[in-house]
Amino acid sequence: MGIPRPVARLLLEEGKRRPFRGSVLELGRCYVYLTGDELVRWAERDGFELRRSALGELSHDPALAAQGCVSDRAFFGALGFDRVDSLDVLDDERPTFVHDLNRELPEELLGRYDVVFDTGTLIHVYDQRAAFRNLGRALVEDGRAIHVVPSTNHVDVGYY
């Protein structure tokens, strides 16, 4: 799952409307398809106050890093988050937490996040009710869940 340029622009708009702060939980490790320079230019143009000091880390994907694309942690840090965690059912991309959203969320994750960000992970979760309940329980009071599922016309990708 990833954050293409149009999604990054939408997040800048959302962050300008209601500034990002605190902690974010991304579902899966997001691939970010833009460089730090691109993000800085867009933020300047849109009047978004970017935390530039966070932009030093390149993507965890070697091909994207070779193109100068920033990491998911750098991206969310630049948007204003102090803590960037990730959750995935597999450990292959080294998420902060390995957990199956079909199952009850561990106590340590309850009420911890200002934002839960999903770029399509939920289509792979069989028990949608459990997943949405878990995400709601992970949020602080007045937190927000942001679901970005770009239309790619994939057929039979997930369970739901």
Side-chain angles (χ1 to χ4, degrees), residues 18-58:
R18 184 174 165 199
F20 295 121
R21 61 176 172 72
S23 58
V24 60
L25 178 66
E26 58 178 318
L27 303 185
R29 291 282 313 270
C30 292
Y31 298 100
V32 181
Y33 298 98
L34 71 153
T35 67
D37 289 342
E38 288 173 309
L39 186 57
V40 166
R41 279 195 311 273
W42 292 346
E44 286 175 350
R45 188 183 77 193
D46 295 345
F48 182 90
E49 189 68 35
L50 200 65
R51 189 185 302 159
R52 294 182 190 203
S53 62
L55 287 174
E57 183 179 286
L58 291 178

Side-chain angles (χ1 to χ4, degrees), residues 1-4 29-33 59-61 64 70 72 93:
M1 303 299 170
I3 301 173
R29 291 282 313 270
C30 292
Y31 298 100
V32 181
Y33 298 98
S59 177
H60 64 285
D61 178 83
L64 291 174
V70 297
D72 50 345
E93 292 183 340

